Each structure stands twice: as structure tokens, then as C-alpha cells.
Amino acid sequence: MAKPLKHRIREGLPFPRGASWDGTGVNFALFSANATKVEVCLFDEAGTTELERIALPEYTDQIFHGWLPDIGPGQRYGYRVHGPYAPKEGHRFNPNKLLLDPYARAHVGELTWDHAIFGYTIGHALDDLSYDERDSAPFVPKSVIVDADFDWRGQPQRNPIPWDQTVLYETHLRGYTKLHPKVPETLRGTYAGFGTPEVLKHIKSIGVTSIELLPVHSFVNDSQLLEKGLTNYWGYNTIGFFAPDPRYAADVPNSLREFKEMVSRVHDAGLELILDVVYNHTAEGNERGPTLSFKGIDNVSYYRLLPDDPRYYINDTGTGNTVNISHARVIQMVTDSLRYWAGEMHVDGFRFDLGTILAREPNGFDNQSGFLKACGQDPLLGTVKLIAEPWDCGPGGYQVGEFPPGWAEWNDKFRDTARDFWKGEASFADVAPRVLGSPAEFDRDGRKPWASVNFITAHDGFPLNDIVTYNEKHNDANGEDNKDGSSDNRSSNYGVEGPTDDPEIRRVRARQIRNMLATLLFSQGTPMLLAGDEFGRTQGGNNNAYCQDSEISWVDWQIEEKGQALIDFTTRLTALRRRFPILRRNRFLTEAYNEELDIKELTWVNAAGREMEQGDWGSNAQCVGLMLDGRAQPTGIRKRGEDATLLLIFNAWHDMVEFTLPSQGGEDQHWTLMIDTNISEEEEKQEDQKFAFGEVYAVTGRSFLLFTLIPGVVK
């Protein structure tokens, strides 16, 4: 009869972190600077019965480690970590609580919100200073040992799409396919479902290059949401930075393989996959939150605590805790996680939720922080896309434009000014720098216009259809008396709140959607579309659908005729963006006259067809033209470009404006109309779209136009 594993354990190694199978056994390695003992607990296949509890025998450089023979992939396990329970000093060790491995590649089971998962006794007079002795194992997920082997069929790790060609597409993995008629019902809302050819074909067909998925790292559903019959739909409540969430797997025991197969299919479709990642906080909350992993492993190392009262957590995230990215081992964990997803899982980039947190040091935001330096020097992370959400709710949290070279950043200034302009509440003087890639924020240290990720809509807020349909939020379904979500929507219903049959209102709304899409896709920088905006998806006025795993959030694929027309329009815009590189330059365009090349890269034009002067840039600047000279220097080499010259006309005025088309170049040239958001593509084809210099074009109120100047060429 074989000896119990506790009698067969060997010393093992302090690296790599986590549980690593070598073909004959598993090496366990767990960091804790303040623990006194670590036990690994093995469970049966159901994850309900603890089979054996084994103390890791070695402690090297703050790493507990040991090697166990004869266990391997599929083994369920967890840790019990011993040490001082002294909350006033920041220590919350409690070996009665089974803990997830921070490096676990897979999780199994769901969290049950029982009082036993808390390190203290709920309701005790001492509150979180009390000590709870109940075993949490029956109520928490288990870590799972995996076989990392996967046949990538000779596929390279990734085929990076250049930033200047990138069009991002933000979506939710589950919600995107939950109602998709071409996805088998058993696969809807799963990794396998998202990898369905028909799903990826649509994304590719509209000109998108890169999919940005909302969080898929293993996360926890908040108890207060479950009590209301809701769920943490968006997933910004991570508990496992290496494990794909099993609830998105059609085949849960093989969730890791299913995720890799999805990535492979995304790449086969010629698309990139970018993950929204949440390294700023965890699901363990504040001092009254549960003990699930990091809190019980080494609370003072993993979290930022108040320096003068470490019982309490610094809350720069608004979620109860803040991950301590100043600690070397925490930086290592986060960068190990990033390298794992980029190297072993083949993802193409990351969008960092509340990215300012990652650059915080004890003295505040620092774009030379330890974490940013670690990323900047890493040879693997230097090959993937890194996108920051450059704000948090802590002091000095708004940092748009302040991340170091190599990073792109969500630019909410683009969102706000574009919405305000088309609503008629901002002058074009406010929008002009956004159209040019926000040079005041990003033109430094060799950063390129692509560093500005331009967007008008994202997962939080109204989708594009709702921006032109609702003045107010309608979040009653969230169970918070419509008090949640922002009231600053910068939206307009144009006369009626919600859907209407009024033909004039419907026409204005449809035109405004097209105006904002054109502004987004024809501006310098990296455009990001929200999934479903290309055919007018609605959330019924809900601007904070974080808890709605329902038809409020799911993409409705019953696309009507007007939705198909909008798909066609969006596809035209992305095709024109590809066709005319002047719309996506890798250099910031300038108004200054280039004497050496004898050109002006861009010229602002008023409705009289003349170059705008200082006095034209007042609050009434509602109809403006932007002429982009195709001869503009395309790279650092000082020579003229050979692109088409473009004229973009933005008219946010509510009425028609007679716009004189400016002169440019020789007499044999003419302007060719490519886009007028007031007329359909079919109407454009039926009319003569050639216009002479000096000809007056009647620009419809609230419309966008694009003209090209191609010598001797008729559209």
C-alpha cells in the first residue's frame, strides 16, 4: 500500500510559482513574506472532500515550496496559510480558510456566500478583529492543476497588426453570442461559441482588426447582486489572474483548452484578441470582505493599507481594496500573468482597467513606476498592445496622456467633446484637437497619434443608439432606484424620450449616429467601436448594465433593414480609412507651412471656402471643413507623400449651410464626394458626385461629409 503523500513529499523548487506538473508530480511554490506555515490541501474530483493536507517543507527567499509525486492534471487543491491574525497590524492569516492559488491556471466550483468564507465572525462585537474558526472549504472554488500542452498547429504566437491599421471592437464574450442564431444553442455565451466562424466573419467583415474582450479572468459574483437576482456581468471583480473564468466554458473541465482554441480561431480569422484585465483590485473587498486568496496569504504584501492604521485598506479603486503594485513580488505576479496570457495563451494585448493604479507609488502617480518600468523593459510585453484606462478615483487619478512611450490610452476627452459637438453644445474649436489625435496630450517623447484610443461609446454608458434616443438614464432594472450610473450622458433624444415613430426624429437620430461613427473612424488615432453600434444595438436607456446578464446587455442579432444599412455604412467607413492613409498617419499633422516641401499638411476651412482665421474659432463654429493634404510628409524622411487629399466637413448646426468647396491644386482636379451622412449610398451612386473648386454644396443640418481630391479620377 502506497504511503500517504505527506510522507513522500520532497523539497521541490521555489520556482516557477504556482502548481507545475512535470509529468511525474507537481511542484508547489507560494510566496508569503509573513506566513509561518503553508499547507496544500488535495480534494477529490468533485472538489467537496479534502483527501490530504500536506505542509510544504521548504522556505526559500519568502517562497514556501515542495514537490508531490503521483498527482497531475485535474487535481483539485487549495492552500491553508498559517501566521498571525493581527488585523490592527495588517495580518489576517486564518488557516481555517481554504485559499485559491494566485497562480492557478484553472478554477472549478462556484463561491457560496456563507459566513464561513470570512476570516472574522460576522455579527461579532469585535467585527473584523474577531477570529472565525469555521472551515470555508465547502463554500469556495478550488484551484486545478492543468496540462499546459496545446497544439497551436504551427501557428505563430501572434501576427501583430500595426497600430495605424488597428480598429478596436469592445465586446462581452458571453453577451455577444448569447442570442446569436448561427451559434449552436449549447455553445452560446462560451469561449467555443465566440470562436464560431460566423461570429468572427461578421467582426472581420465590418473592418475591425482587434477584438477587446471585457474581463475573462476568473471573477466573483458580489453577494449583494446575487441577493437581488442579478450578477456581476461585466466581470470587474477578479480573483484569479491566470485562470480563464470557467462559467464561460462549454466544457468546464477543459476550459483552458477551450480558451486556447478560441484564440486560435480568432487568429485564423485574421483578427487580434485583446483582454481587458483588472490588476488594480481583487474580489476580497475591504476589511469586512471575504478571505479567498491574497488576504489570507499575505495581506500586507498584496494590498495597500493605510500607513498609520493598517487594519484598513486604501481604496483608490472604489471597490474596497487596492492591489499593492509597489511590492516587488506583486509586480512579479502581475507581469508573470501578462507574460502567461501573451506567451502561452497567445493573446495580442491588454487593456488595463483603472490603469492609473498600476503606476501609483506611495507618493502618487508616477509614469516611471516600478510596474511601468518592468513592462517597458520586458521583451515579450514589448511585442503586444498595452492600453491604459488612464484614470482611477484616487487623488490625482486622472492622467490622460501621461503614460510612457509604448502605451496607448483611452481618451475620454475625444468621447466627451465629440458627443457635445454633435449635440450642438460645443464649438468645433473643442473638437479640432481631438480629430487630430489630441497632440497636446500625446505628442511627446516620440509617441504617435495611435496612442490616443478614440471612442464615443464603451461598455459603461449608453451604446450609440441610446445616445440619440434618451436624455436620461433608465437603470431601474439594476435595483438601485435609478441612482446608479452617471447622469452626465451628453445625449439627446431630439424630442421624444425613447423609441418613436416620428419620421423626422428618426431621420435626425440616424444621421447623428452616422455623424459620430464618421468622426470616430476618420480622426487621427486608434478608433474603438462598441459591439453592436454598427447596427444600432440598444440597452433601453440603461447606462450602467454591469449587473445585467440579460437581454438588456446581450447583443440582439435580429437585425432590421435600418440595422443592415448601418452595417454597410460602417463597413464603408473602415474601408475608406484603410484606403486613405492620411486618415491614420503615424505622425502628428500640423498647420504650419512646410517651406522645404512647399505644403501645409492641414488647413481649416470656413463655409466661405477660405482658410479659417482666429476670429472664426468662436463658440459659433458649428460648421467647419478640414483639408488634409495628401502630399503631407508621411514619415520622418523629409519627402512628400503620395496620398489623396481629403476634405472633411463637420456641420453640427441644426440647419443647412451653403459650403463653398475650397481650391486646392491644379485646374484639372475636382472634389469627389465619398460620404454624405444625409444621403444613402444608393442616392450617391445615382447622382454626379464631381464638384468643381468654388462650387457651393448644400450641407444638411447635422451632417458629415467626406470629399477626395484625386487628379483625373471619377468615383
Side-chain angles (χ1 to χ4, degrees):
M1 185 175 179
K3 294 181 180 179
L5 286 173
K6 66 181 180 181
H7 298 309
R8 301 163 61 200
I9 192 166
R10 288 163 33 190
E11 296 81 357
L13 298 170
F15 53 82
R17 305 287 183 270
S20 307
W21 179 59
D22 61 11
T24 60
V26 174
N27 189 82
F28 293 91
L30 179 71
F31 158 75
S32 181
N34 295 286
T36 57
K37 183 171 76 170
V38 171
E39 296 170 307
V40 60
C41 303
L42 304 180
F43 287 80
D44 64 0
E45 187 174 354
T48 57
T49 302
E50 185 175 331
L51 303 175
E52 199 162 350
R53 190 178 301 190
I54 305 139
L56 297 180
E58 283 292 344
Y59 188 57
T60 304
D61 297 331
Q62 301 182 330
I63 309 297
F64 289 87
H65 56 95
W67 183 89
L68 286 172
D70 301 331
I71 60 172
Q75 176 66 60
R76 277 67 166 155
Y77 73 100
Y79 291 119
R80 297 184 188 273
V81 181
H82 299 252
Y85 188 80
K88 289 185 177 181
E89 299 171 18
H91 299 303
R92 295 181 179 271
F93 296 101
N94 187 336
N96 299 294
K97 311 306 168 184
L98 187 77
L99 307 175
L100 287 164
D101 184 348
Y103 278 74
R105 268 47 173 183
H107 293 172
V108 66
E110 295 186 6
L111 179 69
T112 300
W113 283 93
D114 188 89
H115 286 188
I117 70 174
F118 295 83
Y120 66 98
T121 302
I122 292 179
H124 194 284
L126 294 177
D127 198 23
D128 66 295
L129 299 180
S130 63
Y131 182 80
D132 191 89
E133 296 183 353
R134 287 170 290 186
D135 184 6
S136 70
F139 310 105
V140 296
K142 309 302 185 295
S143 303
V144 184
I145 295 166
V146 302
D147 180 359
D149 186 49
F150 182 78
D151 182 8
W152 289 97
R153 295 174 294 173
Q155 186 184 85
Q157 284 199 349
R158 68 187 65 84
N159 185 23
I161 293 168
W163 267 111
D164 67 301
Q165 298 175 27
T166 297
V167 177
L168 297 167
Y169 189 74
E170 189 195 36
T171 191
H172 188 284
L173 182 136
R174 175 173 167 81
Y176 197 71
T177 65
K178 198 71 178 70
L179 300 175
H180 202 298
K182 297 292 182 66
V183 176
E185 194 165 349
T186 56
L187 300 183
R188 293 177 186 175
T190 69
Y191 302 120
F194 196 86
T196 303
E198 289 81 2
V199 170
L200 300 176
K201 181 180 179 181
H202 168 76
I203 297 173
K204 181 72 172 179
S205 71
I206 62 173
V208 165
T209 66
S210 309
I211 300 164
E212 185 177 303
L213 287 181
L214 266 66
V216 296
H217 288 176
S218 184
F219 66 92
V220 166
N221 271 319
D222 310 73
S223 59
Q224 66 269 25
L225 292 177
L226 294 175
E227 290 167 2
K228 297 177 183 178
L230 301 171
T231 186
N232 191 321
Y233 174 68
W234 286 349
Y236 290 95
N237 204 28
T238 304
I239 196 61
F241 297 119
F242 293 79
D245 196 285
R247 76 195 77 192
Y248 296 147
D251 180 10
V252 173
N254 294 295
S255 57
L256 188 66
R257 177 172 294 276
E258 187 176 327
F259 183 91
K260 290 180 177 180
E261 288 172 350
M262 177 192 71
V263 174
S264 180
R265 289 172 182 169
V266 168
H267 288 169
D268 286 344
L271 296 162
E272 289 184 316
L273 187 69
I274 294 169
L275 300 185
D276 194 334
V277 289
V278 189
Y279 296 111
N280 58 79
H281 74 279
T282 77
E284 291 186 300
N286 61 15
E287 66 279 359
R288 290 189 172 92
T291 298
L292 306 175
S293 181
F294 313 94
K295 185 180 289 186
I297 293 171
D298 196 348
N299 189 57
V300 299
S301 294
Y302 278 110
Y303 294 113
R304 293 193 188 277
L305 307 177
L306 291 178
D308 56 348
D309 194 354
R311 172 185 176 183
Y312 300 106
Y313 295 75
I314 291 174
N315 186 20
D316 289 333
T317 65
T319 64
N321 65 56
T322 304
V323 173
N324 184 14
I325 305 291
S326 296
H327 193 288
R329 291 301 188 195
V330 181
I331 292 176
Q332 181 183 33
M333 178 190 71
V334 174
T335 52
D336 282 352
S337 170
L338 293 170
R339 283 188 291 267
Y340 172 73
W341 289 97
E344 293 193 33
M345 306 292 269
H346 287 205
V347 304
D348 303 284
F350 306 93
R351 180 266 188 188
F352 294 82
D353 177 62
L354 301 183
T356 301
I357 294 288
L358 305 178
R360 280 192 182 275
E361 296 292 359
N363 60 338
F365 177 84
D366 183 353
N367 69 2
Q368 293 299 308
S369 70
F371 172 75
L372 293 181
K373 285 180 178 178
C375 290
Q377 62 77 44
D378 191 282
L380 176 56
L381 299 183
T383 68
V384 301
K385 289 182 166 70
L386 302 177
I387 305 169
E389 181 185 39
W391 51 78
D392 63 32
C393 65
Y398 189 77
Q399 296 291 338
V400 171
E402 296 303 320
F403 275 70
W407 284 74
E409 303 174 39
W410 274 27
N411 186 355
D412 64 333
K413 295 181 180 181
F414 183 97
R415 174 197 64 197
D416 293 348
T417 53
R419 288 191 188 187
D420 284 347
F421 173 72
W422 287 112
K423 188 182 175 184
E425 294 188 352
S427 164
F428 196 79
D430 301 315
V431 183
R434 309 303 158 215
V435 171
L436 298 179
S438 298
E441 287 76 18
F442 295 101
D443 188 8
R444 60 174 178 79
D445 298 329
R447 299 185 80 183
K448 305 296 185 182
W450 57 254
S452 174
V453 174
N454 302 328
F455 65 103
I456 292 175
T457 55
H459 64 275
D460 50 347
F462 285 151
L464 194 53
N465 178 82
D466 292 2
I467 290 175
V468 301
T469 307
Y470 298 93
N471 282 348
E472 310 295 338
K473 63 185 180 181
H474 296 269
N475 297 352
D476 302 272
N478 296 356
E480 300 180 43
D481 298 322
N482 204 33
K483 295 177 181 178
D484 63 303
S486 174
S487 295
D488 183 21
N489 295 301
R490 301 170 191 260
S491 61
S492 176
N493 63 26
Y494 299 97
V496 175
E497 185 76 352
T500 180
D501 293 327
D502 185 298
E504 181 54 32
I505 293 177
R506 289 167 65 95
R507 279 193 291 270
V508 171
R509 289 176 175 179
R511 196 160 63 246
Q512 289 286 59
I513 288 174
R514 294 193 293 270
N515 293 338
M516 286 186 274
L517 284 171
T519 303
L520 174 65
L521 287 163
F522 291 163
S523 292
Q524 305 294 315
T526 302
M528 184 183 78
L529 292 163
L530 176 63
D533 277 355
E534 73 272 19
F535 51 80
R537 185 181 78 87
T538 179
Q539 290 182 172
N542 192 317
N543 75 352
N544 190 35
Y546 76 103
C547 57
Q548 294 296 332
D549 188 5
S550 68
E551 293 185 0
I552 291 175
S553 295
W554 300 340
V555 175
D556 183 358
W557 292 96
Q558 301 302 313
I559 301 172
E560 299 176 353
E561 183 178 350
K562 67 174 184 178
Q564 185 57 55
L566 190 55
I567 289 174
D568 295 341
F569 179 77
T570 304
T571 304
R572 288 175 62 201
L573 296 181
T574 56
L576 289 169
R577 182 178 174 86
R578 289 193 302 274
R579 178 179 173 185
F580 299 124
I582 192 71
L583 293 171
R584 47 183 176 84
R585 277 297 168 89
N586 259 327
R587 294 178 63 252
F588 285 94
L589 297 170
T590 176
E591 296 178 63
Y593 173 68
N594 187 324
E595 186 174 357
E596 181 180 350
L597 300 182
D598 189 28
I599 57 171
K600 284 191 69 173
E601 295 182 336
L602 67 91
T603 304
W604 297 106
V605 182
N606 62 23
R610 297 190 298 269
E611 183 172 356
M612 291 184 67
E613 300 177 352
Q614 188 63 39
D616 296 326
W617 290 102
S619 59
N620 294 324
Q622 296 285 299
C623 184
V624 175
L626 169 60
M627 191 159 55
L628 301 175
D629 194 323
R631 301 169 298 171
Q633 180 180 331
T635 70
I637 299 173
R638 299 188 66 79
K639 69 174 184 178
R640 285 184 172 186
E642 298 178 350
D643 299 340
T645 291
L646 304 181
L647 174 64
L648 294 74
I649 298 177
F650 305 79
N651 183 23
W653 186 243
H654 67 273
D655 206 350
M656 186 268 290
V657 174
E658 293 187 343
F659 201 101
T660 301
L661 301 179
S663 300
Q664 173 77 0
E667 296 181 358
D668 63 331
Q669 293 179 311
H670 57 264
W671 291 111
T672 299
L673 179 66
M674 306 298 288
I675 293 288
D676 182 342
T677 58
N678 184 52
I679 60 178
S680 68
E681 184 177 12
E682 290 303 313
E683 290 174 304
E684 289 177 6
K685 291 178 180 178
Q686 293 169 10
E687 299 179 11
D688 184 1
Q689 301 306 314
K690 294 185 297 179
F691 298 89
F693 295 160
E695 191 170 342
V696 175
Y697 190 98
V699 180
T700 303
R702 299 188 178 112
S703 66
F704 174 97
L705 293 87
L706 174 69
F707 293 88
T708 64
L709 188 65
I710 307 175
V713 176
V714 179
K715 182 186 173 187

